[in-house]
Amino acid sequence: MRVSELTIRRPVLASVMSLLIVLVGVVSFNQLTVREYPRIDEPVVTVSTRLTGASSEVIESQITKPLEDSIAGIDGVDILTSISRSEQSQITVRFKLSKPPEAAAADVRDRVGRVRARLPEAADEPQVTKVEADATPVIWLAFTSETMSPLEVTDIINRVVKPRLQTVPGVADVQIGGDRKYSMRIWLDPDRLAAYRITVAEVEDALRRQNLEVPAGRIESAQREFSVTARTDLNTVAQFADIALKSVSGYTVRLRDVGRVEESAASERSYVRLNGVPSISTGIIRNATANPLEVSQGVRDLMPLIQRDIPPQLKVIQANDNSVFIDRSIKSVYTTIAEAVALVALVVFVFLRTLRASIIPLVTIPVSLIGAFALMAVAGFSINTLTLLAMVLAIG
């Protein structure tokens, strides 16, 4: 007996089966993740290395070239590109699609480790990262203030805002753009250095010797124990300015004699502006399996609480929200599906001239589409523009 004959002879059984399909489909629909496009993790790995003060030529010859020669021998490499700029080397390795991303990253780490000893000692440890399609912020927030400095704004974001944003369900990381970190900047006077016959290397050596933090241990007795704290590190402008560099004719030359010390930002090479106003931005990066619409809504719900916890002179503004495009795109596809179902019913009515025949697709098509969500959940698919468009094509 065919399925069609069984459903005709036993309409109650057919109705129960349809309701069961709808129930399973609805449950699966609530468990599916929402994305703009399907998740595709290409086997792409980047290697970033930093050498402070080095020119692009030095970066190219001493860092990029040795790393490229070692990485090029990995099996499955498709395209190898590199960028050597001042103080920064970045190598991008694109593997063939048959290469698993995890295995590709492991192979690159192994090859980088082999040539680490050939790189300059002053170079930072090479950072090997696997490029992920979801490692882009879903929503950007901008923090502006007319009275607070960028250093103060960055400090509040790191202490107050960032921990609060990381508690939103589905948030993987919070990226800060245009931030300013506290540092002690020393501006040396070349004429004074020449007058005292002091080199920049001697100033750097004095800083390393007199600004250090060492464990002091503890003092133990029969009944008590005391922890000893050694105040050997420098924290204020006055302490840095008082560093002794050299003794010339019985006079101790200090750092303030050959330059000036100020508390300022570690780097001012990047800026963020919102509508021409200097700002500090925060980008919220979601987990790979998180719903961007829910993450964006959670951040928007948290914004009034963040504004309450930060100083009144610091304003938080939603600068960009990629979930708006995703939401409208998916809603547009839902509308297209409804229009397709209505057109199918209209075509059936026009050609068959019976209302009963027109009602059949209005019932069977939604049941089939909702039941397809169960198969999507089993296959590990997500609700995205392509899967929904596939449903539109299936209706046609």
Side-chain angles (χ1 to χ4, degrees):
M1 183 180 295
R2 297 181 180 180
V3 177
S4 57
E5 296 180 9
L6 178 63
T7 53
I8 293 174
R9 292 184 179 182
R10 298 185 178 181
V12 176
L13 176 62
S15 301
V16 173
M17 291 177 59
S18 300
L19 292 175
L20 182 61
I21 292 175
V22 171
L23 178 61
V24 175
V26 170
V27 173
S28 301
F29 176 81
N30 294 328
Q31 295 178 350
L32 291 174
T33 58
V34 179
R35 308 168 58 90
E36 183 179 1
Y37 297 109
R39 181 182 180 183
I40 301 176
D41 287 337
E42 293 185 278
V44 180
V45 182
T46 62
V47 182
S48 301
T49 311
R50 181 177 177 82
L51 179 59
T52 304
S55 63
S56 58
E57 291 80 6
V58 174
I59 293 293
E60 171 68 25
S61 61
Q62 298 190 17
I63 295 181
T64 304
K65 191 64 169 59
L67 289 175
E68 278 185 335
D69 294 340
S70 179
I71 296 173
I74 300 177
D75 181 41
V77 174
D78 188 17
I79 300 176
L80 180 64
T81 60
S82 64
I83 300 176
S84 299
R85 57 172 64 94
S86 178
E87 299 184 350
Q88 184 72 31
S89 169
Q90 181 174 338
I91 301 175
T92 303
V93 189
R94 184 180 296 274
F95 291 84
K96 297 179 180 178
L97 295 179
S98 59
K99 186 85 168 182
E102 294 77 11
D107 291 344
V108 173
R109 291 191 185 95
D110 178 65
R111 291 303 182 98
V112 170
R114 294 182 185 182
V115 298
R116 179 63 182 91
R118 295 167 51 189
L119 303 181
E121 295 183 359
D124 296 341
E125 193 69 22
Q127 301 295 322
V128 180
T129 56
K130 181 181 66 174
V131 177
E132 297 182 358
D134 297 320
T136 56
V138 176
I139 182 173
W140 283 95
L141 303 180
F143 294 82
T144 61
S145 177
E146 298 180 356
T147 58
M148 301 178 64
S149 66
L151 288 170
E152 296 172 330
V153 175
T154 303
D155 181 62
I156 292 176
I157 292 175
N158 285 320
R159 291 189 299 104
V160 180
V161 178
K162 186 175 181 179
R164 295 294 298 273
L165 292 175
Q166 289 176 333
T167 61
V168 176
V171 173
D173 192 16
V174 177
Q175 176 182 334
I176 302 178
D179 57 331
R180 298 289 185 268
K181 298 180 180 179
Y182 280 96
S183 68
M184 205 66 66
R185 300 182 68 92
I186 300 174
W187 305 90
L188 298 176
D189 189 333
D191 296 332
R192 293 185 180 183
L193 288 175
Y196 289 110
R197 296 183 179 181
I198 299 176
T199 63
V200 177
E202 291 176 335
V203 176
E204 183 180 0
D205 182 63
L207 288 170
R208 296 183 183 276
R209 286 186 288 103
Q210 301 183 45
N211 181 30
L212 49 88
E213 187 174 358
V214 296
R218 60 179 180 269
I219 300 175
E220 298 179 356
S221 64
Q223 298 179 349
R224 296 185 178 183
E225 179 178 305
F226 300 93
S227 297
V228 180
T229 302
R231 301 289 184 179
T232 55
D233 57 329
L234 308 179
N235 300 301
T236 64
V237 173
Q239 291 175 344
F240 274 88
D242 201 43
I243 291 178
L245 302 178
K246 190 177 181 180
S247 179
V248 179
S249 300
Y251 175 75
T252 302
V253 180
R254 303 189 180 275
L255 187 57
R256 59 172 173 266
D257 297 326
V258 296
R260 60 184 176 87
V261 183
E262 65 177 6
E263 189 179 65
S264 182
S267 176
E268 297 184 356
R269 304 182 66 178
S270 63
Y271 289 89
V272 174
R273 291 184 174 88
L274 178 63
N275 299 327
V277 180
S279 310
I280 306 296
S281 63
T282 57
I284 291 82
I285 301 175
R286 66 181 179 89
N287 289 322
T289 58
N291 188 334
L293 304 181
E294 295 178 355
V295 173
S296 178
Q297 185 61 43
V299 173
R300 289 195 296 267
D301 295 340
L302 191 63
M303 286 178 59
L305 301 178
I306 293 177
Q307 186 65 69
R308 184 192 63 185
D309 294 338
I310 61 179
Q313 59 269 30
L314 180 60
K315 303 298 182 182
V316 54
I317 304 172
Q318 178 181 316
N320 183 44
D321 189 356
N322 294 334
S323 67
V324 174
F325 175 78
I326 299 175
D327 180 53
R328 293 181 180 178
S329 176
I330 292 178
K331 287 182 178 179
S332 176
V333 179
Y334 284 150
T335 304
T336 304
I337 292 176
E339 293 173 353
V341 173
L343 287 175
V344 169
L346 179 61
V347 170
V348 172
F349 177 77
V350 169
F351 284 93
L352 298 182
R353 299 290 182 175
T354 60
L355 183 61
R356 181 180 179 182
S358 302
I359 296 177
I360 292 176
L362 293 178
V363 177
T364 57
I365 292 178
V367 171
S368 302
L369 294 179
I370 296 175
F373 290 123
L375 300 178
M376 291 172 57
V378 173
F381 292 168
S382 62
I383 299 176
N384 54 71
T385 305
L386 297 184
T387 54
L388 293 178
L389 288 177
M391 291 185 176
V392 176
L393 295 177
I395 297 173

